[in-house]
Amino acid sequence: MSGAKVRVAVNGYGVIGKRVADAVALQDDMELVGVADVASDYRIRVAVERGHAVFASDPAAGDEMDAAGISVAGTLDDLLGRVDVVADCAPKKLAAANKDRYQAAGVKGIWQGGEKHELTGYSFCAQVNYTGALNRDFARVVSCNTTALSRTMHALHRRGWVRRARAVLLRRGTDPWESHANGMINTVVPEIRVPSHQGPDAQTVIPDLDITTLAGAGPYNLSHIHFAMVETTRPVSLDELRDALWDEPRVAFVRAADGLVALNSVIELMRDLDRPRGDMWEVAVWEDALASDGREVYLTFQVHNEAIVVPETIDCIRALTGIEPDGAASVAKTDASLGITKTFLPATT
Amino acid sequence: MSGAKVRVAVNGYGVIGKRVADAVALQDDMELVGVADVASDYRIRVAVERGHAVFASDPAAGDEMDAAGISVAGTLDDLLGRVDVVADCAPKKLAAANKDRYQAAGVKGIWQGGEKHELTGYSFCAQVNYTGALNRDFARVVSCNTTALSRTMHALHRRGWVRRARAVLLRRGTDPWESHANGMINTVVPEIRVPSHQGPDAQTVIPDLDITTLAGAGPYNLSHIHFAMVETTRPVSLDELRDALWDEPRVAFVRAADGLVALNSVIELMRDLDRPRGDMWEVAVWEDALASDGREVYLTFQVHNEAIVVPETIDCIRALTGIEPDGAASVAKTDASLGITKTFLPATT
């Protein structure tokens, strides 16, 4: 397949799909053949505006798109006939049925973190386990929170530092464009399931990582926050911790001292930096909240749920199709195409 | 002093002071001689309505109260001349100066958790260290979050179970009556200081408790939430954990299964139970979120910042004045007077 561009479909043009489509379009080794969806509203109209070929995920949707004046390039089956791989970003209940369809069409498939590990048997985070996904038919890019845990814990785990990791994460209550669904005001909703699923999920990426997570959700919609406490196998200094995180791809530093004191100020910086949709693909770690007490290290970090898995999905396309055997090369290529950085602002000291 | 009622003053009729005054008035071994403040607004008018004698904390305040038609019983010095002990609930910068004043008047003093341990040399949580406060001149009732940590960790620590405790707590962004001050919307503000002060503060109550805390604050005003992970010295079962918390005073259970799924639903229950001001003096632990994995136990609990230290302050009055040498007896007496419970609703199973 090397030499020719990989032909990519995105099925489901929602919060993740629309970002994946844009990111695919930026890659010089990929061709976005089209996006498929069932919607006829403003979201799919944006796909048309961006010049993406729009396909109808089912016949009824195609009729509605026609009626809404959206130019429909064909059905999902038509789209599947023209691509090598599909990034499935559809709502999660459809995943299993879609898998049969992709298999029948001889197309490789990538799902998002809402699906279970068992759907594909391979949970993917580029900088951790790219190689194992090479030339597989199917893989799952883990969820936003699991991706963040995988990246940050990998920085420590690959140095043999992690005896046991613990994290508490507070999820956003709803997504930015929603005004009611799952919305909440003036409260915190603790997750009753302990441990929460993110810990076990991170173990699908880093199998021997000893980690437990607790979770809750609060009345805000601009990303998640994690508080991690990592018991280390030996005393790890603050400088070692900072260096390990600096060496880890897609982990960036923010500082309260720069006025980046909260989730919303970091997102405002993404807007000021003219990031598409104000997206932050990196895990943002508060550098001035890093701590070590000789027994444990402490990390506080922000996860932009809408964006963090987008570069992972791009790398997963390269892994499944085998067009790039070197994970680090794929990560570097993706990062360059999107503008992923280690530090959003020049150092002032 | 035994036999006669202890004569009590409350200096500072704010969020804590107004509740302490009401609670003192409920005790059959205490007499609320009066409350002192500098305000002339609705808050101090409520004190008048409740029949509390109102004193002016400084002369200018007295003039303003007069002008506002509030009947002023005298100055703070007048009040101090008539009492055995003062519960200082004034804003924290005034504490040191007040201490000199109380000392000069020969009056015992109790401060709140905003003050440093060093101000009084004794940090108080009734069920943990009542005896050590007996007949002291001064003590500090620790803060709401520290009180909650002291109660819950004491349940485990006194059984020798705690190897190391870790907690992440998310504070309310502002108080219910405030509309601007420190208000925040749509974000989480992580605390940059790691560990946060609550861990070390809990050690002023339980000196050999190994505990670390991380903190943040979110956009809600109905109490705080804690997520605690406690590494145990031996495997502690869920039943043991539940029993230990059941045996601990002022720790109550709530269940998501009863619809108490979040901070605001628990506060709504307090309102439905006709609690004064909707107060919850207990730490509310989510029973159905308790967990044990053989190495650690996990607790999620709610802290009503406005109310939790009120019973502690009542017990501290008894300890300093020595009218009740038995801490458990004082706790039981206070709990009966306020209606403190172990379970807000009858068990359904």
Side-chain angles (χ1 to χ4, degrees):
Chain A
M1 199 173 287
S2 156
K5 289 190 180 188
V6 166
R7 299 168 302 163
V8 182
V10 173
N11 185 20
Y13 193 74
V15 51
I16 303 296
K18 64 188 182 185
R19 290 172 164 87
V20 167
D22 289 348
V24 168
L26 287 175
Q27 310 305 315
D28 63 13
D29 54 353
M30 298 181 193
E31 179 196 351
L32 179 69
V33 177
V35 302
D37 206 294
V38 295
S40 302
D41 64 6
Y42 76 91
R43 293 170 298 163
I44 203 73
R45 286 174 177 282
V46 170
V48 175
E49 286 302 307
R50 298 199 170 201
H52 303 331
V54 172
F55 294 74
S57 293
D58 64 50
D63 294 343
E64 282 175 36
M65 287 175 177
D66 277 337
I70 294 163
S71 169
V72 182
T75 65
L76 176 58
D77 287 330
D78 295 334
L79 178 59
L80 293 178
R82 302 180 203 172
V83 300
D84 305 303
V85 58
V86 57
D88 187 302
C89 304
K92 58 181 166 180
K93 288 190 177 171
L94 308 171
N98 284 348
K99 185 180 177 188
D100 293 342
R101 233 165 141 177
Y102 304 155
Q103 230 158 356
V107 170
K108 292 171 185 275
I110 295 167
W111 282 266
Q112 297 297 314
E115 307 305 328
K116 291 195 185 311
H117 173 77
E118 291 67 30
L119 178 73
T120 70
Y122 201 81
S123 293
F124 182 89
C125 177
Q127 63 209 64
V128 180
N129 63 0
Y130 183 98
T131 307
L134 276 172
N135 301 309
R136 287 183 60 92
D137 285 337
F138 301 117
R140 177 185 76 125
V141 170
V142 290
S143 72
C144 53
N145 283 316
T146 304
T147 297
L149 288 166
S150 297
R151 289 183 192 167
T152 53
M153 293 304 108
H154 185 243
L156 283 62
H157 179 264
R158 66 197 179 98
R159 288 172 173 79
W161 290 351
V162 180
R163 186 191 306 282
R164 182 156 163 86
R166 300 161 181 89
V168 175
L169 55 110
L170 275 289
R171 293 180 291 107
R172 52 102 185 85
T174 189
D175 275 320
W177 66 92
E178 292 176 318
S179 36
H180 300 289
N182 300 315
M184 60 178 80
I185 64 167
N186 204 22
T187 193
V188 171
V189 183
E191 186 160 320
I192 299 303
R193 180 175 45 169
V194 174
S196 62
H197 74 275
Q198 292 89 357
D201 206 29
Q203 292 169 328
T204 66
V205 176
I206 310 176
D208 59 340
L209 178 68
D210 187 349
I211 185 168
T212 300
T213 50
L214 276 73
Y220 48 92
N221 63 18
L222 299 171
S223 74
H224 310 307
I225 190 164
H226 290 224
F227 299 86
M229 294 156 278
V230 184
E231 201 179 339
T232 53
T233 50
R234 66 165 176 80
V236 169
S237 73
L238 205 51
D239 282 343
E240 287 180 303
L241 175 62
R242 201 183 286 116
D243 289 349
L245 292 167
W246 184 265
D247 288 347
E248 192 70 20
R250 298 174 179 167
V251 175
F253 288 127
V254 292
R255 285 183 298 265
D258 288 333
L260 298 166
V261 297
L263 298 180
N264 58 332
S265 48
V266 173
I267 294 297
E268 185 68 9
L269 175 62
M270 298 305 112
R271 299 174 67 200
D272 284 343
L273 293 173
D274 284 335
R275 290 275 181 111
R277 297 185 176 91
D279 282 356
M280 182 170 71
W281 306 286
E282 303 86 349
V283 183
V285 176
W286 267 276
E287 185 177 1
D288 35 12
L290 290 174
S292 168
D293 62 12
R295 295 186 295 175
E296 304 196 33
V297 295
Y298 304 91
L299 297 84
T300 303
F301 52 88
Q302 176 171 357
V303 181
H304 192 201
N305 48 297
E306 301 170 86
I308 189 173
V309 298
V310 171
E312 305 295 338
T313 304
I314 297 301
D315 293 322
C316 196
I317 291 170
R318 288 205 188 87
L320 294 198
T321 57
I323 54 170
E324 174 53 72
D326 179 357
S330 178
V331 168
K333 188 174 177 70
T334 304
D335 288 3
S337 74
L338 292 172
I340 287 177
T341 184
K342 288 302 299 180
T343 177
F344 302 111
L345 294 170
T348 52
T349 50
Chain B
M1 202 172 289
S2 157
K5 289 191 180 188
V6 166
R7 298 168 303 161
V8 182
V10 173
N11 186 19
Y13 193 73
V15 51
I16 302 298
K18 64 189 181 184
R19 290 172 165 86
V20 167
D22 290 348
V24 168
L26 286 175
Q27 310 306 314
D28 64 12
D29 55 352
M30 299 182 192
E31 179 196 352
L32 179 68
V33 177
V35 303
D37 207 293
V38 295
S40 302
D41 65 3
Y42 76 92
R43 295 171 295 165
I44 203 73
R45 287 173 177 281
V46 170
V48 175
E49 286 303 308
R50 297 200 169 201
H52 303 332
V54 173
F55 294 74
S57 292
D58 64 49
D63 295 343
E64 281 176 36
M65 287 175 177
D66 278 337
I70 295 164
S71 169
V72 183
T75 65
L76 176 58
D77 286 330
D78 294 333
L79 178 59
L80 292 179
R82 301 182 202 169
V83 300
D84 304 303
V85 59
V86 57
D88 188 300
C89 304
K92 58 181 166 181
K93 287 190 178 170
L94 309 171
N98 284 347
K99 185 180 176 187
D100 292 342
R101 233 165 142 176
Y102 303 156
Q103 230 159 355
V107 170
K108 291 171 185 274
I110 296 167
W111 281 266
Q112 298 298 314
E115 307 306 326
K116 291 198 185 310
H117 172 77
E118 290 68 30
L119 177 72
T120 70
Y122 201 80
S123 293
F124 182 88
C125 176
Q127 63 210 62
V128 180
N129 63 0
Y130 183 98
T131 307
L134 275 173
N135 301 310
R136 287 182 61 92
D137 285 336
F138 301 117
R140 177 184 76 126
V141 170
V142 291
S143 73
C144 52
N145 284 315
T146 304
T147 297
L149 288 166
S150 297
R151 290 182 191 168
T152 53
M153 293 304 107
H154 185 243
L156 283 62
H157 179 265
R158 65 196 177 100
R159 288 171 174 78
W161 290 351
V162 180
R163 185 190 308 282
R164 183 156 163 86
R166 300 162 180 89
V168 175
L169 56 110
L170 275 290
R171 293 180 291 108
R172 52 105 183 83
T174 190
D175 276 319
W177 66 91
E178 292 177 318
S179 37
H180 299 289
N182 300 316
M184 59 177 79
I185 64 166
N186 203 21
T187 194
V188 171
V189 183
E191 187 161 320
I192 299 303
R193 179 176 44 168
V194 174
S196 63
H197 74 275
Q198 292 88 0
D201 206 30
Q203 292 168 328
T204 65
V205 176
I206 310 177
D208 59 339
L209 178 68
D210 187 349
I211 186 168
T212 301
T213 51
L214 277 73
Y220 47 92
N221 64 17
L222 299 172
S223 73
H224 311 308
I225 189 165
H226 289 224
F227 299 86
M229 294 157 278
V230 184
E231 200 179 340
T232 52
T233 49
R234 66 164 177 81
V236 170
S237 74
L238 205 51
D239 282 343
E240 287 180 302
L241 175 62
R242 202 183 285 114
D243 289 347
L245 292 167
W246 184 264
D247 289 346
E248 192 71 18
R250 298 174 179 168
V251 175
F253 288 127
V254 292
R255 284 183 298 264
D258 289 332
L260 298 166
V261 297
L263 298 180
N264 57 331
S265 47
V266 173
I267 294 296
E268 185 67 9
L269 175 61
M270 297 306 112
R271 298 174 69 201
D272 284 344
L273 293 174
D274 284 334
R275 290 276 182 109
R277 297 185 176 92
D279 282 356
M280 182 169 71
W281 306 287
E282 303 86 350
V283 182
V285 176
W286 266 277
E287 184 177 359
D288 36 11
L290 289 175
S292 168
D293 63 11
R295 296 186 293 175
E296 303 199 33
V297 295
Y298 304 92
L299 297 83
T300 304
F301 52 89
Q302 176 171 356
V303 182
H304 192 202
N305 48 296
E306 301 170 86
I308 190 173
V309 298
V310 171
E312 306 295 339
T313 304
I314 297 301
D315 294 322
C316 197
I317 291 170
R318 289 205 187 87
L320 295 199
T321 57
I323 54 169
E324 173 54 71
D326 179 357
S330 177
V331 167
K333 187 175 178 69
T334 304
D335 289 2
S337 74
L338 292 172
I340 286 177
T341 183
K342 288 302 297 180
T343 177
F344 302 110
L345 294 170
T348 52
T349 51

